């Protein structure tokens, strides 16, 4: 039985806490790399020894170190071109919290809040993140409700990392349909714009190397400026990227 996306995301291992051997087997079976699922700057053996644990679905859905650091570096480079020097980072679908870990490393002095509505994922990730001593508040709540309690200072740059569950939105032939993520990406962007109206905003949206064209065109129409990045970290067809968009300002 291969340790692949179907088993860990849709199968019997979805809500199971994986052993170190299972995390490494997923990396081997899916990416020919036993250290593929490295998070918090730690290879799987280091993370496991530290007490970090992971559910099956999180092993698939997490933004691993190589990708998270690349996204965070590009976000920080663009954020540094904004006049605001105060940054609030918000992750509405925290999962492992690895991307917000890297964003806080790259955005010096930023504060952060993250939401995770799956109680099992929240329980595991909150314990993991507690080991890292981050300036981060993680809440177990649906993000629209959570956002109502988040306050941005006047003029503060709101940095939103958006990576909702892809589920069946990723088609191996057509790519990622941003209208079929759970929830659709555009609806998330609109919710943030409504909530933080008047603040400059920077969205970092994790995408696949192939994105369904109409869904991409629809999304970028909501930005004042954007950059589309693809990170060639895996073999062709397995790479991810980021769509980084500005609202309320332009670099």
């Amino acid at each position: 039985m291969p340790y692949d996306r179907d088993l860990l995301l849709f199968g019997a291992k979805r809500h199971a806490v994986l052993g170190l051997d299972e995390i490494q087997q997923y990396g081997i079976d899916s990416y020919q790399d036993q250290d593929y699922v490295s998070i918090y700057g730690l290879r799987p053996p280091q993370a496991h020894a530290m007490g970090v644990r992971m559910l099956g679905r999180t092993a698939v859905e997490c933004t691993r170190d190589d990708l998270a650091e690349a996204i965070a570096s590009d976000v920080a480079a663009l954020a540094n071109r904004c006049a605001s020097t105060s940054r609030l980072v918000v992750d509405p679908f925290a999962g492992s919290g690895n991307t917000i870990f890297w964003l806080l490393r790259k955005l010096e002095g930023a504060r952060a809040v993250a939401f995770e509505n799956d109680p099992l994922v929240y329980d595991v990730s909150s314990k993991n993140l507690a080991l890292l001593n981050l300036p981060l508040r993680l809440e177990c709540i649906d993000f629209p409700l959570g956002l109502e309690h988040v306050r941005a200072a006047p003029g503060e740059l709101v940095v939103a990392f958006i990576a909702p569950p892809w589920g069946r939105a990723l088609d191996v032939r057509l790519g990622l349909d941003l209208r079929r993520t759970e929830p659709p990406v555009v609806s998330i962007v609109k919710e943030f714009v409504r909530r933080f109206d008047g603040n400059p905003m920077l969205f970092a949206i994790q995408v696949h190397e192939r994105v369904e064209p109409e869904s991409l065109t629809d999304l970028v129409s909501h930005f004042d400026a954007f950059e589309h990045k693809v990170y060639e970290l895996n073999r062709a067809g397995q790479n991810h990227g980021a769509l980084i968009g500005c609202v309320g300002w332009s670099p």
Side-chain angles (χ1 to χ4, degrees):
M1 177 178 63
Y3 269 70
D4 58 12
R5 188 173 190 268
D6 284 342
L7 175 65
L8 271 60
L9 190 57
F10 303 115
K13 293 292 183 177
R14 177 177 174 84
H15 289 125
V17 176
L18 301 181
L20 173 59
D21 59 330
E22 294 179 299
I23 293 171
Q24 292 179 312
Q25 195 62 52
Y26 168 67
I28 293 169
D29 289 352
S30 298
Y31 299 98
Q32 298 76 54
D33 180 3
Q34 68 175 2
D35 290 335
Y36 182 82
V37 188
S38 294
I39 60 173
Y40 313 138
L42 303 167
R43 295 185 300 106
Q46 296 171 310
H48 197 268
M50 185 178 174
V52 171
R53 297 296 181 264
M54 187 176 294
L55 299 181
R57 64 168 292 188
T58 310
V60 175
E61 294 175 335
C62 75
T63 308
R64 65 192 181 95
D65 278 343
D66 286 350
L67 178 59
E69 183 176 13
I71 292 173
S73 295
D74 284 334
V75 169
L78 202 55
N80 288 337
R81 297 167 65 184
C82 182
S84 175
T85 57
S86 176
R87 287 86 175 262
L88 168 63
V89 182
V90 184
D91 186 343
F93 307 95
S96 69
N98 193 45
T99 305
I100 210 164
F101 166 83
W102 283 101
L103 285 168
L104 288 171
R105 274 196 168 188
K106 301 295 182 179
L107 295 169
E108 186 175 350
R111 58 193 180 96
V113 60
F115 308 112
E116 175 52 60
N117 68 356
D118 184 318
L120 294 177
V121 175
Y122 169 81
D123 182 62
V124 174
S125 294
S126 61
K127 292 174 182 175
N128 291 342
L129 293 167
L131 300 171
L132 304 174
N133 193 30
L134 300 174
L136 165 66
R137 185 173 85 247
L138 177 64
E139 299 180 10
C140 187
I141 191 172
D142 285 331
F143 87 90
L145 295 175
L147 282 183
E148 294 301 323
H149 305 289
V150 178
R151 299 288 181 267
E156 185 172 38
L157 177 65
V158 178
V159 179
F161 175 66
I162 297 178
W166 289 357
R168 303 292 184 182
L170 178 60
D171 182 280
V172 293
R173 183 175 60 88
L174 299 176
L176 178 65
D177 190 334
L178 299 168
R179 299 165 299 190
R180 296 181 60 204
T181 58
E182 302 168 1
V185 170
V186 166
S187 70
I188 303 166
V189 170
K190 288 180 177 178
E191 184 67 24
F192 269 84
V193 171
R194 181 196 67 79
R195 178 65 189 85
F196 297 106
D197 183 33
N199 282 83
M201 301 198 64
L202 182 59
F203 291 92
I205 299 159
Q206 187 171 334
V207 296
H208 190 261
E209 66 178 78
R210 290 195 297 270
V211 181
E212 196 283 325
E214 289 186 7
S215 70
L216 179 61
T217 299
D218 181 31
L219 176 59
V220 300
S221 70
H222 294 271
F223 298 138
D224 297 315
F226 72 92
E227 296 180 357
H228 187 187
K229 305 275 189 175
V230 174
Y231 305 102
E232 296 182 353
L233 301 172
N234 302 318
R235 64 188 182 190
Q238 293 185 332
N239 289 300
H240 289 203
L243 187 68
I244 306 174
C246 304
V247 172
W249 69 288
S250 293

